[in-house]
Amino acid sequence: MEKINILMVAAEAAPYVKVGGLGDVVGSLPPALRKLGLDVRLILPLYDAIDRKKFALRKIFSNLAIAYAAQTYRVNLYATFFPAGRTPVYFLDAPEFFSGPEIYPRQGQSDRFLFFSAAVLSVLPSINFSPDIIHCHDAQTGLVPVLMKTIGAGRFEGVKTVFTIHNFTYQKKTSPAVLKKINLDIQTCHSLALDARDGDINFMVQGILNADQVTTVSPTYAREITTSFYGAGLEKIIRRRRADLTGIINGLDLDFFNPARDPFLVRRYSARCLSAKKENKLAVQKAFGLPVDEKIALSALVSRLVWQKGIDLLDEKCARLPGQLIILGRGEQDQEKRLKALTRRFPKQISVQIKYDEKLAHLVYAGADIFLMPSRFEPCGLGQMIAMRYGAVPVVRATGGLKDTVSRQTGFVFQDMTQPAFFGAWQKALDIFYQQPRQWRRRQSAGFRKDFSWTKPARSYAFLYRHLLDRRTKKN
Ligand code: ADP
């Protein structure tokens, strides 16, 4: 079979740098595709947060010149391999754009990712790798396809593009004038001129309009974003590409999220000895300062604390439920404050830790009985899948990937974004936990048995790439 070369371009990838699910996905899809025989490589910005020593980054090129904003910047290119397998990862080193503690700072993101997108195309010839397809992830890299057609014209003939929407709400907008920094006259490009009519250039819109194929991370979300409720104002744009839009559910890195081998757990366990979960539960109760008692139902939420996630549904009514609630996350300040106040009022029942902590997150998945995801929308969601893999039963709203991955056999699903609907499903879960332990076990086991590996999704992406390249061959 003909070898396919894929270059992935993204703003984050685990284990190097991860803010949310995007990092998980970009961190595990390339090695999964490589297992299928595709030559996949990934390029990321080299942020300060990336540990060069730990990941054995080697400098492979120095002082590559990038013209930007009437100056010439000198960038370096580093490389390493993903820990599992031999998938190359490149890091673009440009401290003027990528330094600082935040991956997504409040200021300067347009510059950061416009520069990154343009620089990726400039440094590509140095790598000695000719991609058949450039696969861009989310708005940060949404300009890549249009840059290939404009400032890169002639250099990328026949190279196809895929744009994956991981979260439609983070769109990234910039003033059209900013594109002058890469000597791009927007009037020379129809999609840019059209986009600029409302006063700004939207990176997400550009990705959607210019990529040869658009994908998102679940079939339900692919349908939802064509509606005004979920379309975040872009539903008309996305409908134009309906024929080229597919939803492919994400997989999980089953080595990293594996309760039988997880180094972050107090006690490891498998589906056959779920009772060993309890030691993790006691450790989590202790870590969150709650009464340590294996008989009390422990509900958990691990999440970015943002509007999307429906955190606002959690209020003092939680304390009326028979059980404990722990929350690990960080995000919007008002949500953080509100949750901390709740902990102070109900210290024996509710405990919040405001931070990002991968280790603790694993322990929480392992210790929790119930995992909550009352999301307003959820493109795919990984939390519910991780929870099921760790024997925590999810309570989720029927939206996006939550609808596609959680069923009545494996969890509790509610429809309306209201407190009664959410608390109704949660209460039902608690009832079954306390009163019908055998039924509870059946749900846990059904979750455990579900296949969350990358095998199927990676095959779907490989199929899509082949299809795109077949179309290219037929056209020629
Ligand atoms: P999103 O991509 O919208 O943030 P997902 O459910 O797709 O949501 O993925 C979230 C990922 O980030 C999961 O791996 C989850 O465990 C992890 N995560 C979220 N918040 C935290 C946190 N505070 N500490 C550690 N891991 C977290």
Side-chain angles (χ1 to χ4, degrees), residues 1-8 29-41 86-88 129 132-133 135 458-466 469:
M1 201 186 301
E2 183 204 1
K3 187 115 176 159
I4 301 181
N5 291 349
I6 311 284
L7 180 72
M8 297 234 176
L29 176 59
L33 285 166
R34 208 167 174 93
K35 276 194 195 149
L36 299 180
L38 285 78
D39 188 347
V40 184
R41 303 176 186 204
R86 302 291 292 164
T87 311
F129 176 66
D132 298 297
I133 292 174
H135 187 161
R459 278 199 198 120
S460 302
Y461 279 107
F463 179 82
L464 184 138
Y465 296 148
R466 291 218 163 86
L469 295 177

Side-chain angles (χ1 to χ4, degrees), residues 18 21 24 302-304 309 329 355-357 361 365 381-383 386:
K18 169 178 155 185
D24 283 317
V302 178
S303 178
R304 291 181 296 118
K309 302 291 181 181
K355 60 178 172 176
Y356 184 93
D357 186 335
Y365 285 113
L382 297 176
I386 304 170

Side-chain angles (χ1 to χ4, degrees), residues 18-22 24 167 250 257 302-304 308-309 328-330 353 355-359 361 365 373 378-384 386:
K18 169 178 155 185
V19 177
L22 172 66
D24 283 317
N167 196 325
N250 290 327
F257 295 110
V302 178
S303 178
R304 291 181 296 118
Q308 170 196 343
K309 302 291 181 181
L328 170 64
R330 62 173 198 196
Q353 297 213 19
K355 60 178 172 176
Y356 184 93
D357 186 335
E358 189 78 56
K359 256 181 166 170
Y365 285 113
M373 275 183 94
E378 196 59 73
C380 175
L382 297 176
Q384 81 283 12
I386 304 170

